[in-house]
Amino acid sequence: MRILVVDDELHIRQLIAIQLQQAGYEAVLAKDAQEALLYLEDEEVSAAIVDVMMPGMTGFELTEILSQELDIPVILVTAKGQLEDKEEGFLAGSEDYLVKPFEPKELLFRLNAILRRYGKSQRNKIQLANVVLDRTTYDVTINDETLIIPMKEFDILAVLANSSGQTIPRSVILRDVWGDEEGKHEFSLNTHITRLRERLNQYGAKVEIQTVRGIGYRLEVTG
Amino acid sequence: MKTLYRQFIQTSLLFLALSIVLGVILTNVYYVSFTKQETIDQNLERAQEVAVTLEQMHGDTAALEPFLSSVANLGYQIALLDSEQQFTTFGEPFEDLTLTDQAEQVMSDQQIYTGENAGLSFFMTSHFSSRLDNTVGVPFQVDDQQYALFLRQDMNLLSSDIHTLLLAFLLSIAVVNLAGMFLMAKQLTRPISLLQQATREVANDNYSHTLTISRPDEIGDLANSFNEMIGRLRQNDESRKTFITNVSHDLQSPLMNIKGYAELLSAKAAAGSDEQEYAEVIESEAKRLSGLAKQLLLLSSLDQPVYQLKEETYALDQQIRKAIRHYRWRLDEKELDVSLKLMKTDVYADRELMNYVWDNLISNAIKYSPATSSIRVHLSNEDGISVVIEDNGTGISAADLPHIKERFYRADQSRSEEGTGLGLAIVQEIVKLHKGKVEFESIDGEGTRVKVHLPTYKEE
């Protein structure tokens, strides 16, 4: 996947590029808005990472063009970390923001999140007994309490909830959640299921993950 | 509050009353000292003419009464006293026919009477009353009979029209005057209340407000200078913000590079090698420096003698939810879960500063939570607004607890953990500015519970 990085500072561009490449993305670099727009005339990218402070056209203005006219999700990079900047960024249509200095893990997490959110048409909300899964925000609501659980656990729960009452084979979960065809994450799946059960139980969810021996799991409404 | 408008109206009414009183007194004085004597002289002349005419009619007492009544019809009140002390009146009847000593002398000593001089009444209206002592009197003889003729102009006939006209005149002056004053008062007080409103906006750091008063007078000048002042304040505010933004950008970008490249180095170095350790030190120190720079900038503005809170009403539950979502990646990294029980709550506070508070408290909770544990965040608005953030983390020891809100205090004295020791001091400062308080409860090794109280503000 090709990601456009727009920043006027060479070293930061390079750093982000290295971090992206190490994670398996292809990075395209531009030193300002003009260069970025010129590149986008003939090429396509999946997402853009844009610095707020740039000479010439600012990051906000560029974000507006990218997200509204070209339909490219944008992550803004800001130094200040104060809301004024952030708000302006959201108004300009950016999907998310990063505050300098950020860690490569944070960058990749946010990039992943917007890529999976963007252009995916799914049933957004799944309700089962007193549990609601919101696939746009990755929130779980149990009664009136909002629960934020790790992304992987959410994905597993969403796969099970999407066909509740049916037994889902472990291989299907591994493929849907990890993109894993060879069963490398078997062990992870076990621990995630255990934790997910604990969390659901702790917050009084009226659903239960049942193990179907030798096949997989099934989400059932209880009580 | 005693408004300017009311004061203006009150003063106007007072002056109106005063001018009426003064006017009445002045006209009285004028009347008594000039007009009165003229009227008396005129009346005396008429009376003497009548008396002469009657005397020339020679003894025809029968003609006396019709003549006098026709004179009365011309606008006089007449009282005729005959030798038997009997009154016959012509025209409008008198209110009071008491014969005073002076008036009696007309009959007894054939003297001329010009009204009562004793008990001098200074008030004009007494001269208009139809009393005998308000007349002129002359003696005359017809058929050897002694008579006294008392005469005065019939004021009822004369005055009623003039009085009505005068009253209408005065009333219309008063009405027009009052209406004018009301209008004037409105004209004066409206721009003043606009100015007051604008002052309040500026006090709240809102420099976008401009006054739309264009008047050619002093108030117009004041409004113009006020607009100029707002303009300058706006410029100052903008340049201050630009400065802070520039400083943080110019500090954070190089720090970001140092940190990022050190990270790349440590990833390349062999695990456990000296190179990896050195690179990690560079990385963590760069991170600390960057946090310090941000917090010092914030503290420097908070430490101004009067920090202007940019307060507004907004949904607090949304803000906290957003702040937590922003840490999703850290939650994921540590496989934590967060449960949120947030009542829909509006708060009147400085959005930017409060965001710092939640950001800091949440990142602390995440930092000190062991992997796969839980964090609970509750917002309730019963009995003031309270936000509770609870974790099952390492906790704070009883010895450290009283000091954690001090600047540069760090529980870990070796200072090996990341952090600047400023975060909670800033949180404390911000909450105090909002007239709230922060409470920490902690059991070493079991977790920490932070409670932020905020008063429920009413927007003024």
Side-chain angles (χ1 to χ4, degrees), chain B residues 101-140:
Chain B
D101 290 344
Q102 266 186 318
E104 215 180 338
Q105 285 175 349
V106 180
M107 199 62 169
S108 52
D109 305 337
Q110 271 96 55
Q111 278 185 354
I112 286 170
Y113 176 63
T114 54
E116 215 57 39
N117 292 323
L120 189 77
S121 162
F122 230 59
F123 206 57
M124 187 164 56
T125 48
S126 67
H127 300 287
F128 294 119
S129 63
S130 65
R131 298 153 59 100
L132 197 74
D133 54 20
N134 229 349
T135 60
V136 296
V138 289
F140 69 96

Side-chain angles (χ1 to χ4, degrees), chain A residues 139-156:
Chain A
D139 284 348
V140 182
T141 310
I142 299 174
N143 297 327
D144 59 341
E145 206 165 341
T146 308
L147 199 61
I148 295 175
I149 56 176
M151 216 67 120
K152 283 276 179 288
E153 289 177 33
F154 183 93
D155 289 340
I156 295 167

Side-chain angles (χ1 to χ4, degrees), chain A:
Chain A
M1 238 180 277
R2 194 181 294 158
I3 312 294
L4 175 65
V5 180
V6 192
D7 196 314
D8 57 317
E9 283 183 53
L10 170 69
H11 293 132
I12 291 193
R13 281 203 302 274
Q14 222 170 46
L15 181 64
I16 296 175
I18 294 168
Q19 289 166 351
L20 288 175
Q21 281 155 5
Q22 284 180 349
Y25 292 100
E26 182 190 343
V28 181
L29 307 181
K31 69 173 190 307
D32 55 26
Q34 215 186 348
E35 203 180 305
L37 291 174
L38 201 69
Y39 176 81
L40 288 172
E41 275 177 17
D42 338 277
E43 302 287 338
E44 280 188 6
V45 295
S46 307
I49 298 166
V50 176
D51 191 56
V52 171
M53 286 248 290
M54 288 187 296
M57 191 190 277
T58 68
F60 296 130
E61 290 163 324
L62 179 61
T63 299
E64 209 177 321
I65 298 173
L66 292 184
S67 61
Q68 279 168 24
E69 287 172 28
L70 302 172
D71 204 28
I72 298 169
V74 176
I75 296 179
L76 268 176
V77 177
T78 163
K80 212 169 131 207
Q82 285 181 349
L83 199 78
E84 273 178 307
D85 273 1
K86 288 172 196 170
E87 270 199 331
E88 220 181 311
F90 280 116
L91 287 180
S94 83
E95 284 288 316
D96 207 341
Y97 62 89
L98 280 163
V99 181
K100 272 184 204 171
F102 48 83
E103 286 171 41
K105 272 179 280 184
E106 184 179 358
L107 167 72
L108 296 174
F109 180 89
R110 291 190 196 287
L111 190 57
N112 268 331
I114 66 163
L115 287 174
R116 61 197 276 175
R117 196 156 57 210
Y118 222 75
K120 206 186 252 187
S121 60
Q122 274 188 322
R123 222 176 3 134
N124 283 337
K125 279 192 178 175
I126 309 168
Q127 174 152 25
L128 213 61
N130 60 350
V131 180
V132 182
L133 302 185
D134 188 331
R135 286 211 268 204
T136 49
T137 59
Y138 301 100
D139 284 348
V140 182
T141 310
I142 299 174
N143 297 327
D144 59 341
E145 206 165 341
T146 308
L147 199 61
I148 295 175
I149 56 176
M151 216 67 120
K152 283 276 179 288
E153 289 177 33
F154 183 93
D155 289 340
I156 295 167
L157 191 60
V159 169
L160 293 174
N162 215 16
S163 346
S164 67
Q166 294 171 30
T167 306
I168 316 286
R170 287 176 64 90
S171 59
V172 171
I173 299 174
L174 284 170
R175 192 194 60 214
D176 285 2
V177 176
W178 278 273
D180 175 8
E181 304 278 357
E182 297 137 36
K184 279 184 293 190
H185 293 85
E186 286 275 356
F187 182 72
S188 289
L189 179 57
N190 288 343
T191 51
H192 278 114
I193 291 278
T194 312
R195 263 189 229 125
L196 199 48
R197 275 182 181 144
E198 278 169 17
R199 300 203 218 260
L200 289 175
N201 190 34
Q202 189 186 342
Y203 295 103
K206 292 208 169 72
V207 294
E208 195 180 59
I209 300 172
Q210 294 173 348
T211 309
V212 182
R213 210 165 266 285
I215 304 172
Y217 301 97
R218 183 168 63 191
L219 195 66
E220 286 284 2
V221 176
T222 59

